[in-house]
Amino acid sequence: EHFPDNSPGDLLSIRIEGSLIEDSSLISGNISVNFEGSAEELFRSMLSSVEPSERDLLIERLFGLLPDSEVMIEGDPSSIASPLRLHGTGKWNCGLQRTGNAVYLLLPGLEALDIVTSRAAAYILPRFREDIHIETPYSAFLSITLTDIPSGHPFLPDPLDTDTYSISISCADGALLLEESFSLQSCLPDALQLLEMRGGLLARLSSSARTVVFR
């Protein structure tokens, strides 16, 4: 089982600036995706492995986009001499529930927007597997700025920060800002390190750190 090969600055960075569509559980906005090091090599490989006519569908699946999103590839995925970047517009699912005088908003996170982090979870989380070997590092960063949020005072979840995973949500000028990161370092983890990695991956799956309550 292999993660991106060992290069300095291995990072996937996803930035979304969007708004909550009124009376729906959808976010609409702009997305930009940047790659560094072996993250770039990995995504080049995935994008160049399909026909150009099929890349839109692949991009939707890689970054949790809903159909009919318009994300452009900047650069030639098959040429390492050409910088690679994605940018465009899209829609994403979020969770929105109204109960009495409260509105619960669940923001999407890396668990839905980064397929590689999800692949890492599938490799590391099973308890029967203790001989984990992280051959190369992998880091992912997600930033979501969301406007047109529900009215009322926002009650924000507590931030979480571990060696492998962090997430925080803040509110300023009528907008929410979610920042989430996940990082694996090359290692043969001992039992304590493996426990911490699994804790970070399980926290990534939890909805509590991505839920804002408006009253």
Side-chain angles (χ1 to χ4, degrees):
E1 191 75 33
H2 297 273
F3 292 100
D5 55 13
N6 199 4
S7 301
D10 175 55
L11 176 66
L12 168 72
S13 177
I14 306 169
R15 296 184 182 273
I16 296 172
E17 295 182 355
S19 59
L20 188 64
I21 299 177
E22 188 175 2
D23 297 326
S24 77
S25 57
L26 295 175
I27 293 172
S28 176
N30 300 318
I31 180 173
S32 63
V33 183
N34 290 281
F35 312 91
E36 294 180 24
S38 52
E40 180 176 335
E41 295 176 12
L42 174 64
F43 281 86
R44 279 187 189 278
S45 174
M46 288 190 286
L47 291 169
S48 60
S49 68
V50 301
E51 295 294 329
S53 61
E54 298 176 346
R55 285 177 182 166
D56 287 348
L57 179 59
L58 177 61
I59 289 170
E60 287 177 5
R61 292 178 176 175
L62 289 174
F63 301 107
L65 289 151
L66 294 177
D68 299 323
S69 298
E70 297 183 358
V71 177
M72 306 295 293
I73 300 174
E74 186 177 305
D76 180 1
S78 62
S79 171
I80 61 173
S82 171
L84 182 66
R85 178 175 177 266
L86 306 181
H87 62 91
T89 60
K91 291 181 180 179
W92 298 265
N93 283 313
C94 63
L96 187 68
Q97 180 67 48
R98 301 180 187 275
T99 305
N101 65 343
V103 179
Y104 295 81
L105 174 63
L106 172 60
L107 296 173
L110 284 172
E111 53 89 21
L113 303 184
D114 175 24
I115 195 173
V116 177
T117 301
S118 297
R119 180 170 174 256
Y123 174 53
I124 295 171
L125 281 177
R127 295 290 179 176
F128 63 81
R129 179 179 285 148
E130 301 299 329
D131 56 341
I132 301 294
H133 181 193
I134 309 299
E135 293 190 2
T136 55
Y138 180 80
S139 298
F141 173 75
L142 171 66
S143 171
I144 299 178
T145 301
L146 186 65
T147 60
D148 294 337
I149 56 179
S151 59
H153 178 77
F155 291 85
L156 305 175
D158 292 332
L160 177 64
D161 190 5
T162 72
D163 285 346
T164 58
Y165 178 78
S166 67
I167 185 170
S168 66
I169 298 179
S170 58
C171 185
D173 299 323
L176 293 176
L177 173 62
L178 177 147
E179 292 186 319
E180 184 179 19
S181 64
F182 175 71
S183 179
L184 290 175
Q185 299 301 316
S186 177
C187 66
L188 283 167
D190 58 27
L192 185 60
Q193 290 173 313
L194 192 55
L195 183 65
E196 183 173 285
M197 287 180 186
R198 285 174 170 155
L201 286 165
L202 287 172
R204 180 189 64 93
L205 296 173
S206 172
S207 61
S208 60
R210 293 181 284 110
T211 301
V212 180
V213 182
F214 296 85
R215 296 185 186 275

